[in-house]
């Protein structure tokens, strides 16, 4: 449901719309937390409303903030309420149900019947002085933010690579990678594996010390003579596709095997930067 201009028979507050005077405004600020091998991308929305009368309707629990998520390709549509008294909401972008272009719109909606609403901020040049709203029913919009688009394929840019790798434990003392099947198994010593499971709130550190070395080994396998025999494996096909999306070909690895380290970092979106950010946050918290 793309909102591009006013389509309502009464004043609705939005950006660049003359229904209200300039001292009233409604905007939703978005922040995206990218996907990791351990969790989906998360969209954070922060609702900012400047209008005394509309804020009074929220305080009376007559109105509330909502986030509308729609993806026509996946036949997905959901209206998510913001918790009363809050102005922020977090929404997980699950690529199983949301694909390609996702449309997101913020609303202030009536939650109850509102009769005889007046608002001095309504533009008198359009609606006349002392304008009285028609009776509003639950679900009627009071303020609307214009729709934004999210490209889920960009949000989930390295999730496909991590989806072909499964981390488990074994009794040996060193890490091993088994690429015999369609899914690559990364085996960690039991004690390290338990730490790996406990530290999933530090995804980028785990990505750098577990996933990246495994990916590097797979790229080295792909660079060896006769590696075409591996091309029927799902993990090979996913990595090849992600390489091509970043302007690399498997043949480039034949010509320069040292390129594998660079490619591994690019495919995982430079995980070392994010890992050291996590380490810095840890040390800061300890201080």
């Amino acid at each position: 449901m793309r909102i591009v201009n006013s389509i309502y028979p009464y004043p609705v507050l939005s950006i660049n719309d003359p229904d209200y005077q300039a001292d009233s405004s409604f905007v939703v600020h978005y922040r995206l937390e990218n996907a990791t091998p351990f969790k989906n991308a998360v969209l954070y929305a922060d609702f900012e409303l400047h209008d005394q009368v509309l804020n009074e309707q929220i305080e009376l629990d007559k109105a509330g903030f909502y986030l509308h998520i729609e993806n026509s390709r996946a036949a997905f549509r959901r209206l998510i309420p913001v918790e009363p008294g809050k102005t922020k909401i977090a929404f997980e972008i699950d690529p199983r149900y949301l694909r390609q272009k996702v449309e997101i719109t913020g609303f202030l909606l009536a939650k109850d019947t509102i009769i005889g609403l007046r608002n001095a901020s309504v533009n008198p040049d359009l609606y006349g002085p002392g304008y009285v709203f028609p009776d509003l029913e639950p679900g009627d919009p009071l303020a609307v933010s214009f729709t934004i688009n999210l490209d889920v394929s960009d949000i989930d840019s390295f999730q496909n690579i991590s989806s072909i790798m499964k981390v488990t434990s074994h009794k040996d003392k060193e890490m091993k990678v088994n690429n015999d099947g369609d899914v690559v198994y990364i085996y960690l010593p039991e004690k390290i594996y338990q730490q790996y499971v406990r530290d999933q709130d530090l995804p980028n550190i785990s990505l750098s010390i577990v996933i990246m070395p495994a990916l590097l080994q797979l790229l080295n396998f792909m660079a060896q003579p006769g590696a075409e025999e591996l091309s029927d494996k799902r993990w090979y096909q996913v990595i090849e596709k992600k390489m091509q999306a970043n302007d690399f070909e498997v043949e480039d690895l034949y010509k320069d095997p040292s390129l594998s380290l660079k490619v591994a970092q690019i495919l995982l979106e430079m995980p070392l930067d994010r890992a050291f950010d996590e380490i810095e946050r840890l040390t800061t918290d300890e201080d």
Side-chain angles (χ1 to χ4, degrees):
M1 182 175 62
R2 170 165 287 278
I3 305 298
V4 292
N5 52 30
S6 180
I7 56 175
Y8 305 103
Y10 56 86
V12 173
L13 179 59
S14 62
I15 297 175
N16 298 326
D17 191 296
D19 281 3
Y20 277 74
Q21 300 183 73
D23 56 345
S24 293
S25 64
F26 176 63
V27 64
V28 182
H29 304 283
Y30 297 100
R31 179 176 65 84
L32 183 67
E33 184 177 280
N34 287 329
T36 75
F38 310 106
K39 62 181 182 179
N40 293 321
V42 178
L43 177 71
Y44 295 91
D46 186 358
F47 293 72
E48 183 179 338
L49 173 66
H50 296 285
D51 185 272
Q52 181 179 346
V53 172
L54 296 182
N55 274 310
E56 288 173 354
Q57 296 303 307
I58 295 174
E59 292 171 3
L60 293 170
D61 203 28
K62 292 274 190 177
F65 295 124
Y66 292 82
L67 197 64
H68 184 272
I69 313 287
E70 183 167 339
N71 183 201
S72 57
R73 183 175 294 272
F76 180 95
R77 179 181 296 173
R78 184 175 298 174
L79 186 65
I80 306 170
V82 177
E83 183 180 345
K86 305 291 185 181
T87 60
K88 299 179 181 180
I89 191 171
F91 176 74
E92 179 180 310
I93 305 292
D94 190 334
R96 293 176 300 173
Y97 309 114
L98 298 172
R99 299 190 296 273
Q100 298 183 3
K101 186 175 72 172
V102 177
E103 296 181 347
I104 300 173
T105 311
F107 285 94
L108 174 67
L109 301 179
K111 297 172 64 177
D112 197 354
T113 301
I114 302 175
I115 299 174
L117 180 67
R118 295 174 181 264
N119 191 336
S121 295
V122 170
N123 188 343
D125 294 336
L126 290 179
Y127 294 95
Y131 175 81
V132 180
F133 282 73
D135 293 350
L136 300 176
E137 300 297 330
D140 285 342
L142 293 167
V144 178
S145 71
F146 286 149
T147 303
I148 68 164
N149 286 333
L150 286 180
D151 189 336
V152 172
S153 61
D154 288 342
I155 292 171
D156 197 38
S157 54
F158 66 82
Q159 191 80 351
N160 283 340
I161 288 181
S162 62
S163 73
I164 57 166
M165 297 184 186
K166 304 298 181 185
V167 181
T168 187
S169 64
H170 67 169
K171 295 182 179 180
D172 293 348
K173 295 183 178 180
E174 67 278 344
M175 171 181 170
K176 291 183 178 179
V177 177
N178 184 328
N179 66 327
D180 290 340
D182 283 328
V183 174
V184 174
Y185 281 88
I186 303 171
Y187 293 96
L188 300 178
E190 181 63 34
K191 182 178 179 180
I192 295 176
Y193 175 73
Q194 295 301 327
Q195 291 176 310
Y196 171 87
V197 172
R198 286 198 302 270
D199 293 338
Q200 289 191 11
D201 57 339
L202 302 171
N204 294 301
I205 294 176
S206 297
L207 188 71
S208 296
I209 65 176
V210 176
I211 303 297
M212 192 170 76
L215 177 58
L216 181 60
Q217 182 165 331
L218 295 175
L219 291 169
N220 288 333
F221 285 145
M222 295 168 70
Q224 294 175 2
E228 296 84 359
E229 297 177 358
L230 300 171
S231 61
D232 62 336
K233 306 291 187 185
R234 180 171 176 268
W235 64 262
Y236 185 107
Q237 295 166 1
V238 169
I239 293 174
E240 181 180 32
K241 183 177 179 181
K242 301 303 289 185
M243 287 181 63
Q244 291 170 346
N246 286 275
D247 299 322
F248 292 106
E249 296 291 342
V250 174
E251 290 75 13
D252 297 334
L253 301 176
Y254 302 158
K255 301 171 186 176
D256 182 8
S258 66
L259 188 63
S260 296
L261 180 58
K262 178 179 180 179
V263 171
Q265 294 177 80
I266 290 174
L267 296 190
L268 295 177
E269 298 181 351
M270 313 309 287
L272 293 176
D273 293 340
R274 300 193 304 277
F276 277 98
D277 285 343
E278 287 182 348
I279 293 172
E280 183 176 2
R281 287 197 298 272
L282 281 175
T283 56
T284 301
D285 292 343
E286 290 175 357
D287 293 341

